[in-house]
Amino acid sequence: MEDTMRAFMLLVIAMLSLPAFAEKPVAPARVPIQQAMAHPLFDDPYMCSEHAENELPHLGDALGQDCMITAFGDDTKRSFLGLYRNDGARNQDWYGWNRPVNSPCDCEVVKLHVNPLVNVPGQPHESRASSIILRATDGTVFVVAHLQAFAVKEGDHVEAGELIGLVGNNGYARAPHVHIGAWRGKQALQVRWDQQAMKVH
């Protein structure tokens, strides 16, 4: 019994003194995200929130941005930009509602999808958003979504900065805004704004 116990203890000590040969998991190599330069969507001041990589899987959603027009509003005491006046309960309260939307590129209008439904702020709908698909000469494709009152039709050629529609609130949207996404082939692209083309406010 004593010999068995001694053999067991020696085995435990030997195992503890061996170096650990288990391979550590290796993180997959990061591939740099490719970018697409875009003309600003609005002449008004605006801000965008970006979708993180792998947050949304579909081309046009992946690496996209949701952009909203901002303003100082009617209250002259307010010294910061806001998104809406009053409580934002009506689309008309939002500074972006029905404002002009610019083309992000010199592009061909490839496809339009019209959603006639209009959401109430805070109440997104599961239907597909109204959208415009644009293709630049280098093969970059842009989608601009949640628009209303389109100013272009399929087959048109538009210049960067040209009016393509108005800000709406449809599809899966909680408030008036515009979504922009870009891709080339099957590769989602990160949108970069042409800051030389931005209006100075």
Side-chain angles (χ1 to χ4, degrees), residues 19-38:
F21 289 109
E23 290 186 21
K24 294 181 181 175
V26 177
R30 290 184 54 137
V31 177
I33 294 174
Q34 301 296 309
Q35 299 181 345
M37 183 71 75

Side-chain angles (χ1 to χ4, degrees), residues 1-40:
M1 180 73 173
E2 192 174 304
D3 288 339
T4 304
M5 186 60 124
R6 182 178 294 136
F8 176 73
M9 292 302 292
L10 288 172
L11 180 61
V12 169
I13 292 169
M15 288 177 65
L16 291 174
S17 63
L18 288 173
F21 289 109
E23 290 186 21
K24 294 181 181 175
V26 177
R30 290 184 54 137
V31 177
I33 294 174
Q34 301 296 309
Q35 299 181 345
M37 183 71 75
H39 186 281

Side-chain angles (χ1 to χ4, degrees), residues 37-43 46 102 104 160-161 192-201:
M37 183 71 75
H39 186 281
L41 292 174
F42 310 114
D43 292 332
Y46 69 99
N102 301 325
R192 288 279 302 156
W193 300 109
D194 180 353
Q195 292 176 295
Q196 290 182 325
M198 283 184 170
K199 300 282 185 184
V200 177
H201 299 282

Side-chain angles (χ1 to χ4, degrees), residues 40-57:
L41 292 174
F42 310 114
D43 292 332
D44 301 290
Y46 69 99
M47 63 181 190
C48 299
S49 60
E50 298 180 304
H51 296 298
E53 186 176 28
N54 300 321
E55 179 181 348
L56 297 169

Side-chain angles (χ1 to χ4, degrees), residues 81-187:
L81 291 166
L83 298 172
Y84 54 83
R85 59 181 67 84
N86 304 320
D87 60 2
R90 302 176 313 141
N91 284 313
Q92 293 81 358
D93 291 339
W94 291 75
Y95 298 122
W97 173 250
N98 222 28
R99 296 293 299 156
V101 180
N102 301 325
S103 172
C105 56
D106 295 339
C107 293
E108 177 189 357
V109 179
V110 176
K111 189 160 185 61
L112 294 180
H113 174 76
V114 178
N115 180 344
L117 300 176
V118 177
N119 296 348
V120 173
Q123 299 176 29
H125 196 272
E126 293 295 330
S127 60
R128 181 178 162 200
S130 287
S131 59
I132 297 179
I133 306 291
L134 302 161
R135 183 183 298 117
T137 54
D138 69 354
T140 301
V141 179
F142 290 90
V143 61
V144 182
H146 306 294
L147 293 144
Q148 61 179 347
F150 296 103
V152 294
K153 62 186 183 304
E154 291 179 11
D156 283 353
H157 289 270
V158 294
E159 300 291 319
E162 186 177 332
L163 176 70
I164 57 173
L166 303 176
V167 177
N169 182 7
N170 53 61
Y172 196 77
R174 291 183 171 83
H177 78 286
V178 168
H179 171 86
I180 183 170
W183 67 93
R184 197 176 299 117
K186 294 185 178 179
Q187 178 68 51

